[in-house]
Amino acid sequence: MRQHVKDDTGLFPGSIDETVHLLESEGYVTGRDLACAIYLALAMERPLFLEGEAGVGKTETAKVLATALGRRLIRLQCYEGLDVAQAVYEWNYPRQMVEIRLAEAAGSVDRDAVSGAIYRDEFLLSRPVLEALRPHDEGPPVLLIDEIDRTDEPFEAYLLEVLSDWQVSIPELGTVTAERPPIVIITSNRTREVHDALKRRCFYHWVDYPSPEREIEIVERKVPGCADRLGAEIVRFVQALRRQDLYKTPGVAETLDWAMALEHFNTRSLEPGIVDSSLGVLLKHQDDVRAIRDTGIEVLLKEAGT
């Protein structure tokens, strides 16, 4: 019989089945393949790299995991131009200047003493990466590095030290090393290829669109007011949309948004008029909306069997 994998503050799931149950206890419907990747990442203290189309639930995985484990979620939202000062740490320059002025007023001229006084931990501002390495009462936090593909390669290179040794080097202060590694979830929408050196430090999992059966289950859990028949029709129509040549294919997030939107219309069954008027919930580009209307909503509804 497998035992739970113990950490300093509690218990991690001790098997793939327990991992599935842990996630489902927070309303997250998943398959054994993703649960296996999460289980191994937790047990072996390795980062988990989740790649897939936007809206398939990568970010939600980290949120649910943090809640289920009772850990703090620290999120680093990546973007072009992200640097160390914004992602890792920076010095509190206004407070340092006040300290320098106070030293000058007291007549201190010892530059080494002043330098030592202003480069202390109390003047250090922790950004998400450094904050994740610090001790937390509830245990190592979940560090979500979201959409790593939106940042630049130099920042990827910087992360190698963090993910290899769980430490950050601060020239003025020294090296900050985590007592226990944080639980790291890295996501990518694959807008560009992430360097192999970063991926090698992680366990990898491709998060695909769910099967119709699983997506219906997700709708039933997340939008409990949605009638069974309508939920199935919604999923079949969205799945039909995904087979079209679209600029931005709707993800699970859009499926749920649409289900909730149709609730506000008191819809009991999909009809061409209501679908046409609410396409903006599913599709985020005018070219896609035009393409679906040109194809014919009635045609897609028939293809979806609604």
Side-chain angles (χ1 to χ4, degrees), residues 54-55 57-64 66 71-79 82-83 85-88 126-133 136 138 140-150 155 159 182-189 253:
K58 303 184 297 297
T59 300
E60 188 68 14
T61 300
K63 293 179 179 180
V64 169
R71 304 301 176 88
R72 180 182 172 191
L73 175 68
I74 299 176
R75 181 173 181 174
L76 173 62
Q77 181 62 53
C78 297
Y79 54 87
L82 181 67
D83 61 16
Q86 297 153 325
V88 189
S126 297
R127 300 309 183 200
V129 173
L130 179 58
E131 185 63 25
L133 299 181
H136 294 264
E138 65 275 17
V142 174
L143 173 61
L144 169 61
I145 303 177
D146 212 10
E147 298 183 332
I148 186 67
D149 52 316
R150 293 187 180 275
F155 183 71
L159 283 178
I183 301 165
V184 179
I185 305 291
I186 303 174
T187 74
S188 169
N189 293 335

Side-chain angles (χ1 to χ4, degrees), residues 236-249:
R236 289 199 298 270
F237 184 80
V238 173
Q239 297 259 340
L241 279 183
R242 291 178 187 146
R243 293 191 288 272
Q244 306 303 306
D245 184 16
L246 299 175
Y247 179 78
K248 170 61 178 70
T249 302

Side-chain angles (χ1 to χ4, degrees), residues 209-239:
Y209 293 113
S211 65
E213 295 77 17
R214 184 168 295 160
E215 193 162 12
I216 290 172
E217 185 180 354
I218 293 170
V219 171
E220 290 173 347
R221 290 200 179 198
K222 295 293 186 179
V223 194
C226 189
D228 292 344
R229 176 185 171 187
L230 178 61
E233 289 183 359
I234 287 170
V235 169
R236 289 199 298 270
F237 184 80
V238 173
Q239 297 259 340

